[in-house]
Amino acid sequence: EADIYQTPRYLVIGTGKKITLECSQTMGHDKMYWYQQDPGMELHLIHYSYGVNSTEKGDLSSESTVSRIRTEHFPLTLESARPSHTSQYLCASSGTGETQYFGPGTRLLVL
Amino acid sequence: SQQGEEDPQALSIQEGENATMNCSYKTSINNLQWYRQNSGRGLVHLILIRSNEREKHSGRLRVTLDTSKKSSSLLITASRAADTASYFCATDAGGYSTLTFGKGTMLLVSP
């Protein structure tokens, strides 16, 4: 089991609210990633970071933003949640190798 | 896009049988990885095969890679009910590229 954590695990929230999904890892990995996954579907990369103060947008356009102020922490923020943001959000990290280690995910439901 | 495409989309077998899943991709890769996802959870890395390798084993898992056909297969021998999960292939083009995941194969192993 990898040392990567996500909170909350489940979140039900109303439209227009600001939310932050937390992701932290204790492995000292430089690279971190956020994926969005709808049920039964593939993962889509929405953000990634190769180190502190480095963030990039992924293949799937997203209204969310991320920050990387500390190596171990990579939070994702939605300024104004909408029903179209309902999905599962998976955080992952990788070190010097190519393998990615995933957190348990956050299931978001926007009403 | 070098997105992997798995087939079949779903596979249902009995315990003790072998399960084979296939993955095809579109462009050159540095390595190909297989991940497993239990329902509602994060992904777990299973095995990585590099572009200069043709076959790799890990316990009951056997992965093959045919770069001329841009395809890979994952064989799980003597399946168990606990193998029930979704299996994803992911391609890595190397360098500063990120992983691209396929749509996944849902495997159901019945006791």
Side-chain angles (χ1 to χ4, degrees), chain A residues 1 9 33 35 37 40-45 48 50 59 88 90 98-100 102-105 107, chain B residues 3 30-31 33 35 37 39-45 48 50 88 92 96-103:
Chain A
E1 199 75 17
R9 291 292 315 280
Y33 312 85
Y35 294 90
Q37 182 187 32
M41 302 296 287
E42 69 264 49
L43 281 72
H44 292 288
L45 180 67
Y48 61 99
Y50 283 155
D59 304 322
Q88 176 163 249
L90 293 165
E98 298 98 336
T99 300
Q100 291 189 14
F102 283 79
R107 289 202 171 192
Chain B
Q3 185 174 25
N30 182 54
N31 67 74
Q33 304 177 33
Y35 288 80
Q37 184 180 35
S39 179
R41 303 284 299 180
L43 279 71
V44 175
H45 180 261
L48 180 153
R50 299 193 183 282
F88 294 88
D92 181 356
Y96 285 97
S97 66
T98 55
L99 290 182
T100 301
F101 285 83
K103 296 185 190 309

mmCIF file of all heavy atoms in Angstrom, chain A residues 1 9 33 35 37 40-45 48 50 59 88 90 98-100 102-105 107, chain B residues 3 30-31 33 35 37 39-45 48 50 88 92 96-103:
data_model
loop_
_atom_site.group_PDB
_atom_site.id
_atom_site.type_symbol
_atom_site.label_atom_id
_atom_site.label_comp_id
_atom_site.label_asym_id
_atom_site.label_seq_id
_atom_site.Cartn_x
_atom_site.Cartn_y
_atom_site.Cartn_z
ATOM 1 N N GLU A 1 0.840 -1.197 0.000
ATOM 2 C CA GLU A 1 0.000 0.000 0.000
ATOM 3 C C GLU A 1 0.881 1.256 0.000
ATOM 4 O O GLU A 1 1.782 1.374 0.814
ATOM 5 C CB GLU A 1 -0.881 -0.031 1.242
ATOM 6 C CG GLU A 1 -2.096 0.863 1.179
ATOM 7 C CD GLU A 1 -3.200 0.285 0.283
ATOM 8 O OE1 GLU A 1 -3.165 -0.915 -0.021
ATOM 9 O OE2 GLU A 1 -4.088 1.049 -0.090
ATOM 10 N N ARG A 9 -12.850 11.464 1.196
ATOM 11 C CA ARG A 9 -13.075 10.326 0.313
ATOM 12 C C ARG A 9 -14.370 10.510 -0.480
ATOM 13 O O ARG A 9 -14.477 10.101 -1.629
ATOM 14 C CB ARG A 9 -13.164 9.036 1.125
ATOM 15 C CG ARG A 9 -11.853 8.604 1.766
ATOM 16 C CD ARG A 9 -10.831 8.169 0.703
ATOM 17 N NE ARG A 9 -11.401 7.309 -0.309
ATOM 18 C CZ ARG A 9 -11.614 6.014 -0.163
ATOM 19 N NH1 ARG A 9 -11.322 5.421 0.979
ATOM 20 N NH2 ARG A 9 -12.125 5.296 -1.152
ATOM 21 N N TYR A 33 0.232 13.939 -9.734
ATOM 22 C CA TYR A 33 -0.737 13.991 -10.826
ATOM 23 C C TYR A 33 -2.164 14.003 -10.265
ATOM 24 O O TYR A 33 -2.436 13.419 -9.221
ATOM 25 C CB TYR A 33 -0.599 12.741 -11.716
ATOM 26 C CG TYR A 33 0.806 12.401 -12.121
ATOM 27 C CD1 TYR A 33 1.631 11.643 -11.279
ATOM 28 C CD2 TYR A 33 1.323 12.810 -13.342
ATOM 29 C CE1 TYR A 33 2.930 11.314 -11.646
ATOM 30 C CE2 TYR A 33 2.621 12.487 -13.719
ATOM 31 C CZ TYR A 33 3.415 11.751 -12.861
ATOM 32 O OH TYR A 33 4.696 11.424 -13.238
ATOM 33 N N TYR A 35 -5.997 12.940 -11.780
ATOM 34 C CA TYR A 35 -6.784 12.347 -12.846
ATOM 35 C C TYR A 35 -8.265 12.471 -12.509
ATOM 36 O O TYR A 35 -8.654 12.463 -11.345
ATOM 37 C CB TYR A 35 -6.469 10.851 -12.996
ATOM 38 C CG TYR A 35 -5.066 10.537 -13.458
ATOM 39 C CD1 TYR A 35 -4.028 10.358 -12.542
ATOM 40 C CD2 TYR A 35 -4.778 10.385 -14.814
ATOM 41 C CE1 TYR A 35 -2.748 10.047 -12.959
ATOM 42 C CE2 TYR A 35 -3.496 10.072 -15.236
ATOM 43 C CZ TYR A 35 -2.495 9.913 -14.308
ATOM 44 O OH TYR A 35 -1.222 9.604 -14.727
ATOM 45 N N GLN A 37 -11.904 10.522 -13.371
ATOM 46 C CA GLN A 37 -12.408 9.257 -13.885
ATOM 47 C C GLN A 37 -13.903 9.138 -13.633
ATOM 48 O O GLN A 37 -14.342 9.133 -12.485
ATOM 49 C CB GLN A 37 -11.679 8.077 -13.236
ATOM 50 C CG GLN A 37 -12.119 6.731 -13.772
ATOM 51 C CD GLN A 37 -11.536 5.553 -13.017
ATOM 52 O OE1 GLN A 37 -11.293 5.632 -11.817
ATOM 53 N NE2 GLN A 37 -11.289 4.451 -13.708
ATOM 54 N N GLY A 40 -16.585 3.467 -14.626
ATOM 55 C CA GLY A 40 -16.387 2.521 -15.718
ATOM 56 C C GLY A 40 -15.606 3.061 -16.901
ATOM 57 O O GLY A 40 -15.553 2.407 -17.952
ATOM 58 N N MET A 41 -15.014 4.207 -16.727
ATOM 59 C CA MET A 41 -14.323 4.843 -17.853
ATOM 60 C C MET A 41 -12.824 4.962 -17.594
ATOM 61 O O MET A 41 -12.340 4.603 -16.523
ATOM 62 C CB MET A 41 -14.914 6.226 -18.105
ATOM 63 C CG MET A 41 -16.407 6.211 -18.389
ATOM 64 S SD MET A 41 -16.811 5.324 -19.895
ATOM 65 C CE MET A 41 -16.227 6.480 -21.138
ATOM 66 N N GLU A 42 -12.113 5.456 -18.614
ATOM 67 C CA GLU A 42 -10.666 5.609 -18.470
ATOM 68 C C GLU A 42 -10.315 6.824 -17.616
ATOM 69 O O GLU A 42 -11.157 7.664 -17.326
ATOM 70 C CB GLU A 42 -10.001 5.733 -19.841
ATOM 71 C CG GLU A 42 -10.310 7.019 -20.575
ATOM 72 C CD GLU A 42 -11.440 6.866 -21.561
ATOM 73 O OE1 GLU A 42 -12.489 6.315 -21.167
ATOM 74 O OE2 GLU A 42 -11.270 7.310 -22.710
ATOM 75 N N LEU A 43 -9.055 6.881 -17.218
ATOM 76 C CA LEU A 43 -8.566 8.027 -16.463
ATOM 77 C C LEU A 43 -8.142 9.126 -17.440
ATOM 78 O O LEU A 43 -7.523 8.845 -18.471
ATOM 79 C CB LEU A 43 -7.338 7.639 -15.643
ATOM 80 C CG LEU A 43 -7.539 6.895 -14.343
ATOM 81 C CD1 LEU A 43 -7.985 5.466 -14.598
ATOM 82 C CD2 LEU A 43 -6.258 6.893 -13.527
ATOM 83 N N HIS A 44 -8.441 10.346 -17.083
ATOM 84 C CA HIS A 44 -7.993 11.493 -17.868
ATOM 85 C C HIS A 44 -7.116 12.371 -16.990
ATOM 86 O O HIS A 44 -7.540 12.794 -15.908
ATOM 87 C CB HIS A 44 -9.185 12.294 -18.383
ATOM 88 C CG HIS A 44 -9.996 11.589 -19.409
ATOM 89 N ND1 HIS A 44 -9.554 11.385 -20.695
ATOM 90 C CD2 HIS A 44 -11.218 11.016 -19.340
ATOM 91 C CE1 HIS A 44 -10.465 10.746 -21.388
ATOM 92 N NE2 HIS A 44 -11.489 10.496 -20.586
ATOM 93 N N LEU A 45 -5.923 12.676 -17.454
ATOM 94 C CA LEU A 45 -5.008 13.528 -16.703
ATOM 95 C C LEU A 45 -5.475 14.979 -16.801
ATOM 96 O O LEU A 45 -5.669 15.498 -17.907
ATOM 97 C CB LEU A 45 -3.596 13.395 -17.289
ATOM 98 C CG LEU A 45 -2.498 14.213 -16.623
ATOM 99 C CD1 LEU A 45 -2.237 13.694 -15.211
ATOM 100 C CD2 LEU A 45 -1.215 14.150 -17.448
ATOM 101 N N TYR A 48 -0.658 18.085 -13.574
ATOM 102 C CA TYR A 48 0.501 17.391 -13.038
ATOM 103 C C TYR A 48 1.562 18.398 -12.606
ATOM 104 O O TYR A 48 1.511 19.581 -12.981
ATOM 105 C CB TYR A 48 1.054 16.359 -14.020
ATOM 106 C CG TYR A 48 1.544 16.881 -15.342
ATOM 107 C CD1 TYR A 48 2.893 17.090 -15.572
ATOM 108 C CD2 TYR A 48 0.655 17.110 -16.388
ATOM 109 C CE1 TYR A 48 3.352 17.540 -16.793
ATOM 110 C CE2 TYR A 48 1.100 17.563 -17.617
ATOM 111 C CZ TYR A 48 2.445 17.766 -17.821
ATOM 112 O OH TYR A 48 2.893 18.215 -19.041
ATOM 113 N N TYR A 50 5.934 18.537 -11.626
ATOM 114 C CA TYR A 50 7.221 17.842 -11.558
ATOM 115 C C TYR A 50 8.065 18.317 -10.381
ATOM 116 O O TYR A 50 9.225 17.933 -10.253
ATOM 117 C CB TYR A 50 7.975 17.987 -12.874
ATOM 118 C CG TYR A 50 7.448 17.091 -13.970
ATOM 119 C CD1 TYR A 50 7.631 17.412 -15.302
ATOM 120 C CD2 TYR A 50 6.754 15.921 -13.675
ATOM 121 C CE1 TYR A 50 7.144 16.599 -16.315
ATOM 122 C CE2 TYR A 50 6.262 15.098 -14.668
ATOM 123 C CZ TYR A 50 6.460 15.452 -15.992
ATOM 124 O OH TYR A 50 5.971 14.636 -16.978
ATOM 125 N N ASP A 59 -4.171 16.494 -20.290
ATOM 126 C CA ASP A 59 -4.798 16.309 -21.592
ATOM 127 C C ASP A 59 -6.255 16.751 -21.593
ATOM 128 O O ASP A 59 -6.779 17.178 -22.621
ATOM 129 C CB ASP A 59 -4.737 14.830 -21.995
ATOM 130 C CG ASP A 59 -3.322 14.314 -21.988
ATOM 131 O OD1 ASP A 59 -2.416 15.067 -22.392
ATOM 132 O OD2 ASP A 59 -3.106 13.169 -21.551
ATOM 133 N N GLN A 88 -15.021 11.017 -10.126
ATOM 134 C CA GLN A 88 -14.019 10.596 -9.153
ATOM 135 C C GLN A 88 -12.704 11.252 -9.526
ATOM 136 O O GLN A 88 -12.331 11.274 -10.700
ATOM 137 C CB GLN A 88 -13.871 9.071 -9.123
ATOM 138 C CG GLN A 88 -12.748 8.610 -8.179
ATOM 139 C CD GLN A 88 -12.822 7.157 -7.804
ATOM 140 O OE1 GLN A 88 -13.112 6.813 -6.655
ATOM 141 N NE2 GLN A 88 -12.558 6.291 -8.750
ATOM 142 N N LEU A 90 -8.651 11.192 -8.814
ATOM 143 C CA LEU A 90 -7.568 10.342 -8.319
ATOM 144 C C LEU A 90 -6.261 11.119 -8.349
ATOM 145 O O LEU A 90 -5.916 11.738 -9.355
ATOM 146 C CB LEU A 90 -7.431 9.092 -9.185
ATOM 147 C CG LEU A 90 -8.588 8.113 -9.127
ATOM 148 C CD1 LEU A 90 -8.514 7.128 -10.274
ATOM 149 C CD2 LEU A 90 -8.592 7.359 -7.806
ATOM 150 N N GLU A 98 9.260 4.932 -13.191
ATOM 151 C CA GLU A 98 8.118 5.298 -14.024
ATOM 152 C C GLU A 98 6.776 4.919 -13.404
ATOM 153 O O GLU A 98 5.727 5.328 -13.879
ATOM 154 C CB GLU A 98 8.236 4.604 -15.391
ATOM 155 C CG GLU A 98 9.466 5.012 -16.182
ATOM 156 C CD GLU A 98 10.608 4.026 -16.038
ATOM 157 O OE1 GLU A 98 10.669 3.286 -15.027
ATOM 158 O OE2 GLU A 98 11.461 4.009 -16.946
ATOM 159 N N THR A 99 6.790 4.126 -12.358
ATOM 160 C CA THR A 99 5.548 3.665 -11.743
ATOM 161 C C THR A 99 4.861 4.796 -10.999
ATOM 162 O O THR A 99 5.511 5.596 -10.321
ATOM 163 C CB THR A 99 5.856 2.541 -10.741
ATOM 164 O OG1 THR A 99 6.474 1.462 -11.428
ATOM 165 C CG2 THR A 99 4.586 2.044 -10.074
ATOM 166 N N GLN A 100 3.532 4.852 -11.137
ATOM 167 C CA GLN A 100 2.755 5.831 -10.376
ATOM 168 C C GLN A 100 2.035 5.125 -9.230
ATOM 169 O O GLN A 100 1.544 4.013 -9.384
ATOM 170 C CB GLN A 100 1.746 6.530 -11.286
ATOM 171 C CG GLN A 100 2.427 7.448 -12.295
ATOM 172 C CD GLN A 100 1.470 8.319 -13.063
ATOM 173 O OE1 GLN A 100 0.299 8.457 -12.716
ATOM 174 N NE2 GLN A 100 1.963 8.950 -14.126
ATOM 175 N N PHE A 102 -1.063 5.488 -6.551
ATOM 176 C CA PHE A 102 -2.339 6.189 -6.491
ATOM 177 C C PHE A 102 -2.894 6.259 -5.077
ATOM 178 O O PHE A 102 -2.744 5.337 -4.281
ATOM 179 C CB PHE A 102 -3.366 5.493 -7.381
ATOM 180 C CG PHE A 102 -3.179 5.790 -8.842
ATOM 181 C CD1 PHE A 102 -2.211 5.137 -9.582
ATOM 182 C CD2 PHE A 102 -3.973 6.743 -9.472
ATOM 183 C CE1 PHE A 102 -2.026 5.418 -10.922
ATOM 184 C CE2 PHE A 102 -3.790 7.031 -10.815
ATOM 185 C CZ PHE A 102 -2.818 6.374 -11.542
ATOM 186 N N GLY A 103 -3.587 7.373 -4.809
ATOM 187 C CA GLY A 103 -4.383 7.469 -3.610
ATOM 188 C C GLY A 103 -5.720 6.774 -3.812
ATOM 189 O O GLY A 103 -6.027 6.298 -4.916
ATOM 190 N N PRO A 104 -6.560 6.718 -2.772
ATOM 191 C CA PRO A 104 -7.837 5.997 -2.846
ATOM 192 C C PRO A 104 -8.912 6.738 -3.627
ATOM 193 O O PRO A 104 -9.944 6.153 -3.952
ATOM 194 C CB PRO A 104 -8.236 5.853 -1.375
ATOM 195 C CG PRO A 104 -7.590 7.016 -0.710
ATOM 196 C CD PRO A 104 -6.298 7.244 -1.428
ATOM 197 N N GLY A 105 -8.685 8.012 -3.935
ATOM 198 C CA GLY A 105 -9.655 8.759 -4.713
ATOM 199 C C GLY A 105 -10.642 9.554 -3.867
ATOM 200 O O GLY A 105 -10.879 9.246 -2.697
ATOM 201 N N ARG A 107 -14.615 10.851 -4.333
ATOM 202 C CA ARG A 107 -15.834 10.833 -5.149
ATOM 203 C C ARG A 107 -16.602 12.110 -4.870
ATOM 204 O O ARG A 107 -17.002 12.354 -3.737
ATOM 205 C CB ARG A 107 -16.681 9.623 -4.821
ATOM 206 C CG ARG A 107 -16.072 8.334 -5.304
ATOM 207 C CD ARG A 107 -17.094 7.254 -5.470
ATOM 208 N NE ARG A 107 -16.528 6.107 -6.126
ATOM 209 C CZ ARG A 107 -17.238 5.102 -6.597
ATOM 210 N NH1 ARG A 107 -18.538 5.116 -6.478
ATOM 211 N NH2 ARG A 107 -16.647 4.086 -7.187
ATOM 212 N N GLN B 3 -3.290 6.756 -26.852
ATOM 213 C CA GLN B 3 -4.108 6.093 -25.853
ATOM 214 C C GLN B 3 -4.206 4.609 -26.120
ATOM 215 O O GLN B 3 -4.439 4.163 -27.241
ATOM 216 C CB GLN B 3 -5.500 6.715 -25.868
ATOM 217 C CG GLN B 3 -6.413 6.189 -24.791
ATOM 218 C CD GLN B 3 -7.728 6.938 -24.747
ATOM 219 O OE1 GLN B 3 -8.151 7.493 -25.722
ATOM 220 N NE2 GLN B 3 -8.366 6.951 -23.600
ATOM 221 N N ASN B 30 8.133 4.157 -24.481
ATOM 222 C CA ASN B 30 9.312 3.804 -23.701
ATOM 223 C C ASN B 30 9.009 2.555 -22.865
ATOM 224 O O ASN B 30 9.857 1.682 -22.712
ATOM 225 C CB ASN B 30 9.695 4.961 -22.796
ATOM 226 C CG ASN B 30 10.941 4.673 -21.990
ATOM 227 O OD1 ASN B 30 11.976 4.323 -22.536
ATOM 228 N ND2 ASN B 30 10.847 4.786 -20.679
ATOM 229 N N ASN B 31 7.810 2.519 -22.330
ATOM 230 C CA ASN B 31 7.366 1.348 -21.596
ATOM 231 C C ASN B 31 5.848 1.305 -21.563
ATOM 232 O O ASN B 31 5.173 2.296 -21.887
ATOM 233 C CB ASN B 31 7.929 1.322 -20.165
ATOM 234 C CG ASN B 31 7.378 2.445 -19.293
ATOM 235 O OD1 ASN B 31 6.225 2.405 -18.868
ATOM 236 N ND2 ASN B 31 8.217 3.430 -19.009
ATOM 237 N N GLN B 33 2.630 -0.150 -18.994
ATOM 238 C CA GLN B 33 2.372 -0.611 -17.633
ATOM 239 C C GLN B 33 0.935 -1.112 -17.535
ATOM 240 O O GLN B 33 0.047 -0.645 -18.250
ATOM 241 C CB GLN B 33 2.577 0.542 -16.643
ATOM 242 C CG GLN B 33 3.953 1.168 -16.738
ATOM 243 C CD GLN B 33 4.135 2.345 -15.815
ATOM 244 O OE1 GLN B 33 3.586 2.395 -14.721
ATOM 245 N NE2 GLN B 33 4.945 3.323 -16.247
ATOM 246 N N TYR B 35 -2.156 -1.705 -14.684
ATOM 247 C CA TYR B 35 -2.639 -1.347 -13.369
ATOM 248 C C TYR B 35 -3.971 -2.059 -13.111
ATOM 249 O O TYR B 35 -4.712 -2.385 -14.037
ATOM 250 C CB TYR B 35 -2.874 0.168 -13.251
ATOM 251 C CG TYR B 35 -1.618 0.996 -13.192
ATOM 252 C CD1 TYR B 35 -0.912 1.304 -14.352
ATOM 253 C CD2 TYR B 35 -1.142 1.493 -11.981
ATOM 254 C CE1 TYR B 35 0.248 2.067 -14.308
ATOM 255 C CE2 TYR B 35 0.016 2.266 -11.927
ATOM 256 C CZ TYR B 35 0.694 2.541 -13.097
ATOM 257 O OH TYR B 35 1.835 3.314 -13.033
ATOM 258 N N GLN B 37 -7.597 -1.852 -10.702
ATOM 259 C CA GLN B 37 -8.433 -0.976 -9.891
ATOM 260 C C GLN B 37 -9.603 -1.772 -9.347
ATOM 261 O O GLN B 37 -10.458 -2.244 -10.108
ATOM 262 C CB GLN B 37 -8.951 0.213 -10.704
ATOM 263 C CG GLN B 37 -9.761 1.200 -9.872
ATOM 264 C CD GLN B 37 -10.257 2.368 -10.693
ATOM 265 O OE1 GLN B 37 -10.593 2.229 -11.867
ATOM 266 N NE2 GLN B 37 -10.309 3.558 -10.089
ATOM 267 N N SER B 39 -13.124 -1.853 -7.322
ATOM 268 C CA SER B 39 -14.264 -0.948 -7.445
ATOM 269 C C SER B 39 -14.164 0.227 -6.486
ATOM 270 O O SER B 39 -14.054 0.064 -5.276
ATOM 271 C CB SER B 39 -15.550 -1.729 -7.175
ATOM 272 O OG SER B 39 -16.667 -0.870 -7.266
ATOM 273 N N GLY B 40 -14.211 1.429 -7.067
ATOM 274 C CA GLY B 40 -14.236 2.621 -6.247
ATOM 275 C C GLY B 40 -12.932 2.986 -5.568
ATOM 276 O O GLY B 40 -12.912 3.857 -4.701
ATOM 277 N N ARG B 41 -11.846 2.334 -5.950
ATOM 278 C CA ARG B 41 -10.562 2.593 -5.282
ATOM 279 C C ARG B 41 -9.549 3.188 -6.252
ATOM 280 O O ARG B 41 -9.823 3.368 -7.435
ATOM 281 C CB ARG B 41 -10.006 1.280 -4.722
ATOM 282 C CG ARG B 41 -10.929 0.559 -3.776
ATOM 283 C CD ARG B 41 -10.952 1.212 -2.428
ATOM 284 N NE ARG B 41 -9.640 1.221 -1.802
ATOM 285 C CZ ARG B 41 -9.400 1.743 -0.610
ATOM 286 N NH1 ARG B 41 -10.384 2.269 0.081
ATOM 287 N NH2 ARG B 41 -8.190 1.732 -0.101
ATOM 288 N N GLY B 42 -8.371 3.482 -5.739
ATOM 289 C CA GLY B 42 -7.284 3.932 -6.587
ATOM 290 C C GLY B 42 -6.673 2.770 -7.347
ATOM 291 O O GLY B 42 -7.015 1.618 -7.130
ATOM 292 N N LEU B 43 -5.764 3.096 -8.259
ATOM 293 C CA LEU B 43 -5.121 2.067 -9.064
ATOM 294 C C LEU B 43 -3.878 1.537 -8.367
ATOM 295 O O LEU B 43 -3.203 2.266 -7.637
ATOM 296 C CB LEU B 43 -4.725 2.628 -10.434
ATOM 297 C CG LEU B 43 -5.825 2.703 -11.479
ATOM 298 C CD1 LEU B 43 -6.828 3.779 -11.145
ATOM 299 C CD2 LEU B 43 -5.227 2.947 -12.857
ATOM 300 N N VAL B 44 -3.587 0.273 -8.623
ATOM 301 C CA VAL B 44 -2.386 -0.365 -8.091
ATOM 302 C C VAL B 44 -1.542 -0.858 -9.253
ATOM 303 O O VAL B 44 -2.056 -1.533 -10.152
ATOM 304 C CB VAL B 44 -2.751 -1.536 -7.160
ATOM 305 C CG1 VAL B 44 -1.496 -2.263 -6.702
ATOM 306 C CG2 VAL B 44 -3.538 -1.036 -5.957
ATOM 307 N N HIS B 45 -0.273 -0.521 -9.238
ATOM 308 C CA HIS B 45 0.630 -0.942 -10.304
ATOM 309 C C HIS B 45 0.868 -2.440 -10.234
ATOM 310 O O HIS B 45 1.122 -2.990 -9.157
ATOM 311 C CB HIS B 45 1.960 -0.199 -10.162
ATOM 312 C CG HIS B 45 2.958 -0.569 -11.204
ATOM 313 N ND1 HIS B 45 3.967 -1.471 -10.980
ATOM 314 C CD2 HIS B 45 3.086 -0.181 -12.490
ATOM 315 C CE1 HIS B 45 4.697 -1.591 -12.062
ATOM 316 N NE2 HIS B 45 4.174 -0.832 -12.997
ATOM 317 N N LEU B 48 5.459 -3.600 -15.267
ATOM 318 C CA LEU B 48 5.958 -2.677 -16.290
ATOM 319 C C LEU B 48 6.811 -3.471 -17.262
ATOM 320 O O LEU B 48 7.646 -4.286 -16.845
ATOM 321 C CB LEU B 48 6.789 -1.576 -15.631
ATOM 322 C CG LEU B 48 7.423 -0.494 -16.509
ATOM 323 C CD1 LEU B 48 7.591 0.796 -15.691
ATOM 324 C CD2 LEU B 48 8.775 -0.917 -17.066
ATOM 325 N N ARG B 50 9.320 -2.877 -20.685
ATOM 326 C CA ARG B 50 9.981 -1.845 -21.478
ATOM 327 C C ARG B 50 9.912 -2.186 -22.955
ATOM 328 O O ARG B 50 9.679 -3.335 -23.341
ATOM 329 C CB ARG B 50 11.443 -1.704 -21.034
ATOM 330 C CG ARG B 50 11.554 -1.296 -19.581
ATOM 331 C CD ARG B 50 12.931 -0.842 -19.168
ATOM 332 N NE ARG B 50 12.936 -0.539 -17.743
ATOM 333 C CZ ARG B 50 12.441 0.585 -17.230
ATOM 334 N NH1 ARG B 50 11.934 1.499 -18.024
ATOM 335 N NH2 ARG B 50 12.474 0.788 -15.932
ATOM 336 N N PHE B 88 -6.173 -1.822 -16.359
ATOM 337 C CA PHE B 88 -5.857 -0.758 -17.310
ATOM 338 C C PHE B 88 -4.424 -0.896 -17.799
ATOM 339 O O PHE B 88 -3.514 -1.155 -17.007
ATOM 340 C CB PHE B 88 -6.000 0.617 -16.651
ATOM 341 C CG PHE B 88 -7.394 0.982 -16.265
ATOM 342 C CD1 PHE B 88 -7.912 0.617 -15.029
ATOM 343 C CD2 PHE B 88 -8.199 1.722 -17.125
ATOM 344 C CE1 PHE B 88 -9.207 0.960 -14.664
ATOM 345 C CE2 PHE B 88 -9.487 2.077 -16.773
ATOM 346 C CZ PHE B 88 -9.998 1.694 -15.541
ATOM 347 N N ASP B 92 3.785 4.914 -21.706
ATOM 348 C CA ASP B 92 4.730 5.966 -21.308
ATOM 349 C C ASP B 92 5.672 6.207 -22.486
ATOM 350 O O ASP B 92 6.400 5.301 -22.882
ATOM 351 C CB ASP B 92 5.495 5.499 -20.080
ATOM 352 C CG ASP B 92 6.484 6.537 -19.560
ATOM 353 O OD1 ASP B 92 6.641 7.592 -20.197
ATOM 354 O OD2 ASP B 92 7.101 6.275 -18.511
ATOM 355 N N TYR B 96 9.818 13.558 -20.481
ATOM 356 C CA TYR B 96 8.944 14.265 -19.552
ATOM 357 C C TYR B 96 7.466 13.993 -19.855
ATOM 358 O O TYR B 96 6.591 14.706 -19.400
ATOM 359 C CB TYR B 96 9.204 15.765 -19.601
ATOM 360 C CG TYR B 96 10.483 16.146 -18.911
ATOM 361 C CD1 TYR B 96 11.648 16.340 -19.630
ATOM 362 C CD2 TYR B 96 10.526 16.274 -17.528
ATOM 363 C CE1 TYR B 96 12.827 16.662 -18.993
ATOM 364 C CE2 TYR B 96 11.697 16.599 -16.879
ATOM 365 C CZ TYR B 96 12.844 16.794 -17.625
ATOM 366 O OH TYR B 96 14.014 17.121 -16.986
ATOM 367 N N SER B 97 7.186 12.935 -20.619
ATOM 368 C CA SER B 97 5.795 12.621 -20.948
ATOM 369 C C SER B 97 5.080 12.030 -19.736
ATOM 370 O O SER B 97 5.706 11.621 -18.760
ATOM 371 C CB SER B 97 5.736 11.645 -22.115
ATOM 372 O OG SER B 97 6.285 10.403 -21.725
ATOM 373 N N THR B 98 3.792 12.010 -19.835
ATOM 374 C CA THR B 98 2.964 11.435 -18.775
ATOM 375 C C THR B 98 2.324 10.152 -19.272
ATOM 376 O O THR B 98 2.314 9.875 -20.468
ATOM 377 C CB THR B 98 1.872 12.430 -18.361
ATOM 378 O OG1 THR B 98 1.137 12.819 -19.527
ATOM 379 C CG2 THR B 98 2.473 13.682 -17.740
ATOM 380 N N LEU B 99 1.782 9.360 -18.357
ATOM 381 C CA LEU B 99 1.116 8.125 -18.734
ATOM 382 C C LEU B 99 -0.217 8.417 -19.414
ATOM 383 O O LEU B 99 -0.925 9.346 -19.023
ATOM 384 C CB LEU B 99 0.852 7.258 -17.507
ATOM 385 C CG LEU B 99 2.045 6.614 -16.816
ATOM 386 C CD1 LEU B 99 1.569 5.756 -15.645
ATOM 387 C CD2 LEU B 99 2.856 5.786 -17.781
ATOM 388 N N THR B 100 -0.534 7.595 -20.400
ATOM 389 C CA THR B 100 -1.842 7.661 -21.053
ATOM 390 C C THR B 100 -2.530 6.330 -20.823
ATOM 391 O O THR B 100 -2.005 5.285 -21.214
ATOM 392 C CB THR B 100 -1.697 7.933 -22.553
ATOM 393 O OG1 THR B 100 -1.001 9.153 -22.742
ATOM 394 C CG2 THR B 100 -3.075 8.039 -23.203
ATOM 395 N N PHE B 101 -3.699 6.381 -20.198
ATOM 396 C CA PHE B 101 -4.416 5.174 -19.813
ATOM 397 C C PHE B 101 -5.444 4.781 -20.856
ATOM 398 O O PHE B 101 -6.073 5.631 -21.491
ATOM 399 C CB PHE B 101 -5.123 5.379 -18.468
ATOM 400 C CG PHE B 101 -4.188 5.353 -17.296
ATOM 401 C CD1 PHE B 101 -3.489 6.491 -16.926
ATOM 402 C CD2 PHE B 101 -3.998 4.190 -16.564
ATOM 403 C CE1 PHE B 101 -2.615 6.478 -15.860
ATOM 404 C CE2 PHE B 101 -3.122 4.168 -15.494
ATOM 405 C CZ PHE B 101 -2.427 5.310 -15.139
ATOM 406 N N GLY B 102 -5.658 3.477 -20.986
ATOM 407 C CA GLY B 102 -6.722 2.965 -21.831
ATOM 408 C C GLY B 102 -8.044 2.926 -21.088
ATOM 409 O O GLY B 102 -8.140 3.347 -19.933
ATOM 410 N N LYS B 103 -9.062 2.401 -21.753
ATOM 411 C CA LYS B 103 -10.417 2.381 -21.180
ATOM 412 C C LYS B 103 -10.614 1.273 -20.156
ATOM 413 O O LYS B 103 -11.581 1.292 -19.409
ATOM 414 C CB LYS B 103 -11.453 2.245 -22.300
ATOM 415 C CG LYS B 103 -11.481 3.416 -23.267
ATOM 416 C CD LYS B 103 -12.629 3.253 -24.263
ATOM 417 C CE LYS B 103 -12.577 4.233 -25.400
ATOM 418 N NZ LYS B 103 -12.439 5.619 -25.003
#
